[in-house]
Amino acid sequence: MSDNEDNKKRRPLKSMPPDGFPLKTGLIWVAIILAIAAIFWLNPPKTPQPAVLNIQRVVEFAQEGKIANGYIRSDATGGRDWSVLTGETTEPILQNSAGTATKAFTATGRLTDSNLEQLQKSKVFIEKPATTAMTQLLYNVLPFIVVIGLLYFLFVRQLKSAGKGALSFGKSRAKMLTRDKDRITFSDVAGCDEAKEEVSEVVEFLKDPKKFQKIGGRIPKGILMVGPPGTGKTLLAKAIAGEADVPFFSISGSDFVEMFVGVGASRVRDMFEQGRKNAPCLIFIDEIDAVGRQRGAGLGGGNDEREQTLNSLLVEMDGFDTQEGVIIIAATNRPDVLDSALLRPGRFDRQVSIDLPDIIGREQILRVHARRITLSDNVDLGVIARGTPGLSGAELANLLNEAALLAARRNKKKVEMADVDEARDKLLWGLSRRRVMDDAEKRLVAWHEAGHAVVQAVLDDGTMPVHKVTIIPRGQSLGSTTYLPTKDILTRPKKRLLDEITMAMGGRIAEELVTGDFSNGAYGDIKQATRIARAMVCDYGMSELGPIAMGENQDTVFLGRDITRSQHISEDTARKVDIAVSDILNSQYKRCETIITEHRTALDKVAAALLEHETIEGRHVLEILKHGEIKSPIVSVRPPKLPPADAAKPADKPAPESAAGHAGSPEPSPA
């Protein structure tokens, strides 16, 4: 299938208004055609004026055979015997009042029985029913009714049903989620036990408000959920409504802000009015920083529409009481930019922090999302949780989904552990690319990654063992060394930071020891080591300069980060900082060089195993260091060949500045 055909199939459908019918182009053309037809009906093309005759003359023409066709119509308005004769002659033998020769004629008068009998004998006259006043009225008025009704159906009703008309422009766009469909409870939310405990009393209040009112307790008016993207803020708000079994209104902060001043404030008032009508209920405002940003900040003053909307929100939150059963829940990942008036007690009384899940929380999240996926018996969710530090709940759900898609592409009936590992590597470091290196570059990358693996295995104290070493290119790196922490690392002592710098130097030293030359493969390693060393000196106080923070910057939040800086150290101190950073890097470089020299034999064997198998596990590195050879079997991790459509795609060229690298930071998540 070509790319164009594929894009056509995946092209999104045209948007439709929330209510009513879509404004189809075909209906517009129908309206135009009917309008044109009505115009021609009411204003037919001008024809020559007929000649006016008497009935006797018409009877004579009929007897002589000069009538081509004719019609007899009784006119009830003129009397019982009053008739109208119309028709045409065979030739233009008549003249109208304008003196023009014509075939058409008309005659009006009383038609006797003998005349009627003679006209019927000619067999050219046809009798028509009588024309009444009501028939004439309908004939003239019906086209107008049809055209006006069609225009009303197409335009007026369409604007009203779409909710975008002038009358509904200031209405709230909050969507009410039904309680019977897609109900979410606390059992569907994992990894944030403390946050669930914080909001559990809100559920109790919505179920039994008198329990708190008897002792004078007042439930918070508003709850602000703060946390990184993907941690489950919206999901937790839906779970509160599901547990309490109350209506749930959801709206985004950007839905309030419009080009016209006053529209957002009107929508805020309408939203609270809807909440009062459906009390008890929950109103959830996602990304509240879009409307709740600090007023009067930034270049060029503030935004009148956004500030008026915020003022209306502040007044409405002060104007209602929680006794009505309306609770506001908002979510943001930028609490630092919110206006202080929005965070004071009486508005958003409570802030619930939802952070990235720990190792236990990640395993619980994986178990929740694994309910919909058929997993093999060899899938250990605890091992997956250990290998995904720093990942949010949304990223963990995406990990299992990618593993299921990968297993389906390989025609498997269950998701295996190898599929999960492949999906994790794909999400964290990118797709594998197998046709970007020749043999010479592959040997260079093998020595580079062997250097990282040997140094990490020697320095590891049991908390960060080597998990996997590979020379399969992924993303912008041509190889990677990953390690699997046995627990979440919350603090990083000086010894561990120095070990990280030493391990980062392992690839460069291994290249120099084998080839006698350097490559740009250590670009990312050197950058990471320098960043750690500078943080040790300037932020952590881990140098001879003492416990002094010298990296403080005053960033202007509303202008962008790192735009304005305030330098608080002198030039002499800055020179000392550079010397201290250089001393740390040079000392760890020498330390790494000593380790690799002492374990040169292990380095060679690890590199040889990588060249043969492309990927080896951390236990194989430990076996080489301990026994001098690999004892356990190496399971091939080469994925089976994909369909030709995927295999035929050309591989991307690697970035020249990051030819090889190592992975395995305690925070591997790109987020």
Side-chain angles (χ1 to χ4, degrees):
M1 182 184 296
S2 63
D3 293 340
N4 292 335
E5 293 177 354
D6 188 49
N7 292 333
K8 288 180 181 178
K9 287 188 176 182
R10 292 182 295 178
R11 188 173 298 168
L13 298 176
K14 293 183 178 179
S15 59
M16 297 176 61
D19 298 313
F21 297 97
L23 194 59
K24 298 290 187 180
T25 306
L27 292 179
I28 297 177
W29 282 106
V30 171
I32 295 174
I33 293 173
L34 290 178
I36 295 174
I39 292 173
F40 278 99
W41 188 2
L42 298 176
N43 299 295
K46 293 184 178 181
T47 58
Q49 187 177 0
V52 179
L53 305 177
N54 56 40
I55 291 182
Q56 189 61 35
R57 182 74 179 274
V58 174
V59 173
E60 293 176 356
F61 280 161
Q63 292 174 347
E64 296 172 359
K66 296 180 180 180
I67 303 297
N69 57 68
Y71 300 95
I72 303 173
R73 184 175 68 248
S74 300
D75 191 356
T77 60
R80 184 171 58 85
D81 298 330
W82 197 264
S83 301
V84 178
L85 305 180
T86 58
E88 292 183 349
T89 59
T90 55
E91 297 179 1
I93 58 178
L94 304 175
Q95 287 187 349
N96 55 22
S97 59
T100 304
T102 179
K103 295 181 180 181
F105 65 86
T106 180
T108 306
R110 295 185 182 278
L111 186 64
T112 62
D113 293 339
S114 60
N115 291 338
L116 177 61
E117 183 179 356
Q118 292 175 356
L119 292 176
Q120 291 176 345
K121 287 182 180 180
S122 65
K123 298 182 180 181
V124 294
F125 277 90
I126 301 173
E127 293 189 30
K128 286 189 173 182
T131 301
T132 62
M134 183 61 67
T135 304
Q136 192 69 22
L137 180 63
L138 290 176
Y139 181 82
N140 294 327
V141 176
L142 185 60
F144 287 103
I145 296 176
V146 172
V147 173
I148 293 174
L150 188 60
L151 292 177
Y152 174 82
F153 175 77
L154 289 176
F155 297 101
V156 179
R157 186 177 181 276
Q158 193 69 30
L159 289 175
K160 288 183 177 181
S161 63
K164 298 179 180 178
L167 299 178
S168 59
F169 195 72
K171 298 295 183 181
S172 172
R173 294 186 179 180
K175 299 178 181 179
M176 181 178 177
L177 303 183
T178 59
R179 285 173 281 183
D180 298 332
K181 184 179 180 181
D182 298 332
R183 182 178 177 182
I184 297 175
T185 61
F186 282 159
S187 62
D188 300 316
V189 183
C192 52
D193 296 337
E194 295 81 3
K196 288 195 290 186
E197 292 178 3
E198 279 284 318
V199 298
S200 60
E201 65 182 26
V202 176
V203 177
E204 294 181 12
F205 172 80
L206 292 173
K207 289 182 177 179
D208 186 16
K210 294 182 180 179
K211 174 182 177 181
F212 296 86
Q213 296 171 2
K214 287 180 181 180
I215 59 176
R218 182 178 61 85
I219 204 71
K221 288 186 178 181
I223 298 175
L224 181 65
M225 295 185 179
V226 180
T231 51
K233 300 183 290 295
T234 305
L235 189 66
L236 182 58
K238 291 181 180 179
I240 297 174
E243 287 286 340
D245 196 20
V246 296
F248 180 80
F249 290 91
S250 176
I251 192 171
S252 173
S254 60
D255 289 335
F256 295 111
V257 182
E258 289 286 351
M259 180 178 65
F260 305 104
V261 176
V263 174
S266 175
R267 290 177 179 174
V268 169
R269 292 189 292 269
D270 186 68
M271 179 187 69
F272 278 89
E273 186 64 27
Q274 290 184 24
R276 293 186 180 94
K277 292 179 181 179
N278 293 275
C281 68
L282 288 178
I283 298 178
F284 177 68
I285 306 176
D286 198 8
E287 304 295 343
I288 195 175
D289 52 278
V291 67
R293 192 179 291 266
Q294 183 177 344
R295 293 168 288 183
L299 294 175
N303 184 307
D304 290 338
E305 161 63 5
R306 181 172 53 78
E307 291 186 3
Q308 283 199 18
T309 305
L310 176 57
N311 292 336
S312 178
L313 180 62
L314 297 176
V315 172
E316 288 293 334
M317 291 194 70
D318 264 347
F320 83 96
D321 190 4
T322 51
Q323 306 299 331
E324 300 175 354
V326 182
I327 296 178
I328 311 297
I329 300 178
T332 181
N333 53 11
R334 293 292 307 277
D336 54 325
V337 303
L338 295 180
D339 194 277
S340 57
L342 196 64
L343 303 178
R344 74 160 176 82
R347 292 192 176 115
F348 284 104
D349 302 281
R350 181 174 300 177
Q351 291 190 23
V352 178
S353 179
I354 305 178
D355 207 348
L356 294 173
D358 55 10
I359 185 171
I360 299 177
R362 290 195 298 273
E363 185 174 356
Q364 294 174 351
I365 293 173
L366 289 171
R367 294 190 183 280
V368 170
H369 294 293
R371 298 172 186 171
R372 300 184 294 269
I373 298 176
T374 305
L375 298 178
S376 178
D377 295 335
N378 66 346
V379 176
D380 190 346
L381 297 180
V383 175
I384 300 174
R386 285 174 49 203
T388 53
L391 266 64
S392 64
E395 290 170 329
L396 293 173
N398 191 29
L399 170 64
L400 291 181
N401 182 64
E402 287 288 341
L405 296 178
L406 189 60
R409 291 176 64 188
R410 295 175 177 176
N411 298 322
K412 297 181 180 180
K413 295 183 179 180
K414 293 184 178 181
V415 178
E416 300 178 355
M417 194 66 181
D419 301 321
V420 179
D421 288 339
E422 181 72 16
R424 181 191 58 191
D425 295 344
K426 174 185 174 182
L427 292 178
L428 296 182
W429 301 292
L431 288 171
S432 60
R433 299 176 291 127
R434 293 180 174 271
R435 293 189 301 273
V436 297
M437 292 189 297
D438 56 15
D439 293 339
E441 288 181 335
K442 187 176 292 187
R443 285 194 295 270
L444 181 64
V445 175
W447 290 108
H448 184 105
E449 298 305 328
H452 287 310
V454 169
V455 175
Q456 176 64 21
V458 171
L459 296 178
D460 179 48
D461 56 356
T463 59
M464 189 101 43
V466 178
H467 172 60
K468 184 172 61 176
V469 188
T470 179
I471 57 174
I472 299 175
R474 287 188 178 275
Q476 293 185 350
S477 67
L478 297 180
S480 59
T481 300
T482 61
Y483 32 91
L484 202 62
T486 56
K487 63 177 183 178
D488 284 340
I489 299 176
L490 304 178
T491 59
R492 301 167 73 187
K494 181 178 179 180
K495 179 182 181 301
R496 178 167 295 162
L497 293 173
L498 293 177
D499 290 345
E500 291 181 12
I501 296 175
T502 305
M503 196 276 291
M505 299 296 182
R508 175 186 173 95
I509 295 175
E511 290 182 16
E512 180 186 8
L513 187 63
V514 175
T515 64
D517 195 5
F518 301 117
S519 72
N520 62 344
Y523 162 78
D525 303 328
I526 296 175
K527 187 175 182 179
Q528 180 182 3
T530 305
R531 179 180 58 82
I532 296 175
R534 185 166 293 276
M536 292 175 62
V537 175
C538 299
D539 299 328
Y540 307 150
M542 297 179 181
S543 68
E544 297 179 356
L545 299 179
I548 303 175
M550 292 172 286
E552 182 181 358
N553 299 323
Q554 291 184 350
D555 299 337
T556 304
V557 176
F558 300 99
L559 296 180
R561 296 180 177 179
D562 295 332
I563 288 184
T564 59
R565 288 174 176 262
S566 257
Q567 192 72 15
H568 296 289
I569 60 176
S570 63
E571 294 182 2
D572 183 62
T573 305
R575 185 167 55 252
K576 293 180 181 179
V577 169
D578 294 338
I579 294 173
V581 171
S582 179
D583 290 342
I584 292 176
L585 294 174
N586 290 332
S587 62
Q588 299 310 308
Y589 188 91
K590 294 179 180 178
R591 179 189 178 196
C592 181
E593 192 173 16
T594 302
I595 295 174
I596 290 183
T597 303
E598 293 176 353
H599 299 84
R600 174 61 190 273
T601 303
L603 179 73
D604 296 340
K605 292 183 178 181
V606 171
L610 287 174
L611 289 173
E612 180 180 358
H613 302 282
E614 290 188 340
T615 300
I616 60 175
E617 298 181 14
R619 56 194 174 98
H620 299 141
V621 178
L622 296 177
E623 289 171 357
I624 290 175
L625 286 173
K626 186 176 181 180
H627 305 289
E629 60 180 355
I630 296 178
K631 297 289 187 179
S632 58
I634 299 178
V635 180
S636 176
V637 296
R638 290 186 177 93
K641 292 183 178 180
L642 297 175
D646 294 336
K649 294 181 180 179
D652 297 333
K653 294 183 178 180
E657 63 180 10
S658 57
H662 71 278
S665 166
E667 300 175 357
S669 171

